[in-house]
Amino acid sequence: MLTIWGRLSSVNVQKAVWAAGEVGQAFERIDVGGPFGGLDTPDYGAMNPNRQIPVLRDGDVTLWESNTIVRYLAARYGEGLIDADPVGRAQAERWMDWMLSELQPAMAPVLFGTVRKLPGYTEPAQIAAAVARAEAKIAILEDQLADRPFLGGERFGVADITVGCGAHRWLNMPVERIARPSVERWYATLMARPAAQVALPLPVA
Ligand SMILES: N[C@@H](CCC(=O)N[C@@H](CS)C(=O)NCC(=O)O)C(=O)O
């Protein structure tokens, strides 16, 4: 039985929960982070010195960094979620790095301004600028998905899990969005997967 630490409103925890379900591993999820707290304890710091979520424990393996957790679960328990060809693998997995380094930072201020309503993010002009920055990234995703069913090509894989969590957040935040038919078609395919339905609650929080 796996253990995943982290509140399910976290996009990074969602990745781990989705991956665990996708590879058919039973898990217990422990709510920590955000309103639940629990990251300041010595025990938590020993698991993750960054004091962030998620953390995965699998027997005597303890891991942090959400994308690493997704890759680990896919490599250890998944079948076909990682392309065996190094080129195909790299072309798919670059989208996981893109999610962490480009899409998530672009989308976070939109969430902070419209859903979490954090001071410093809620002015209409700030929200409009944040939406525009996020739209520029979503346009890149739209292009990638225009002529293939999944991010890596013909098969569902680890990149779809990671970036799919970002799409879930983007498509369900209370903002006006530019229509993205390819992203929306891909997202609908992802949401038909039982593991995604467990990992991606609504409303986004
Ligand atoms: N690069 C890390 C980032 C982890 C991260 O930023 N986690 C956030 C939630 S998404 C966190 O721990 N926030 C503190 C909290 O929830 O209290 C990963 O991908 O796992």
Side-chain angles (χ1 to χ4, degrees):
M1 163 93 87
L2 308 175
T3 306
I4 298 170
W5 281 263
R7 58 184 165 82
L8 198 53
S9 55
S10 155
V11 74
N12 292 317
V13 173
Q14 291 167 0
K15 297 173 197 172
V17 168
W18 186 353
E22 203 64 59
V23 301
Q25 290 297 300
F27 63 90
E28 174 194 20
R29 189 180 57 77
I30 299 174
D31 270 323
V32 291
F36 299 98
L39 307 184
D40 294 333
T41 66
D43 283 354
Y44 199 85
M47 290 198 301
N48 183 354
N50 302 289
R51 300 191 180 279
Q52 290 181 326
I53 51 174
V55 165
L56 173 78
R57 181 163 289 163
D58 179 17
D60 52 12
V61 177
T62 303
L63 286 174
W64 41 269
E65 281 300 332
S66 57
N67 286 353
T68 299
I69 291 169
V70 171
R71 288 190 184 96
Y72 165 78
L73 290 172
R76 181 152 191 188
Y77 302 112
E79 187 125 334
L81 292 176
I82 296 175
D83 197 326
D85 167 51
V87 175
R89 177 176 176 168
Q91 284 177 338
E93 289 192 10
R94 65 185 164 174
W95 291 98
M96 300 173 78
D97 296 327
W98 177 83
M99 167 75 173
L100 266 184
S101 62
E102 302 293 331
L103 185 59
Q104 283 182 232
M107 280 194 322
V110 183
L111 185 81
F112 297 162
T114 63
V115 176
R116 296 192 185 161
K117 301 195 189 306
L118 301 184
Y121 292 91
T122 55
E123 290 298 323
Q126 290 173 320
I127 293 173
V131 168
R133 285 193 295 273
E135 285 283 14
K137 300 299 175 188
I138 296 293
I140 297 169
L141 193 57
E142 177 71 11
D143 281 352
Q144 175 72 5
L145 290 165
D147 58 359
R148 69 205 81 204
F150 296 106
L151 278 171
E154 295 302 314
R155 291 180 67 165
F156 172 83
V158 285
D160 299 294
I161 294 174
T162 294
V163 184
C165 294
H168 175 73
R169 177 169 278 184
W170 174 249
L171 293 172
N172 291 290
M173 286 195 288
V175 292
E176 275 197 33
R177 285 170 293 273
I178 297 171
R180 306 288 186 187
S182 300
V183 171
E184 286 158 27
R185 180 260 311 145
W186 166 74
Y187 173 69
T189 306
L190 300 184
M191 288 307 291
R193 303 181 77 89
Q197 292 163 16
V198 171
L200 300 174
L202 286 174
V204 294

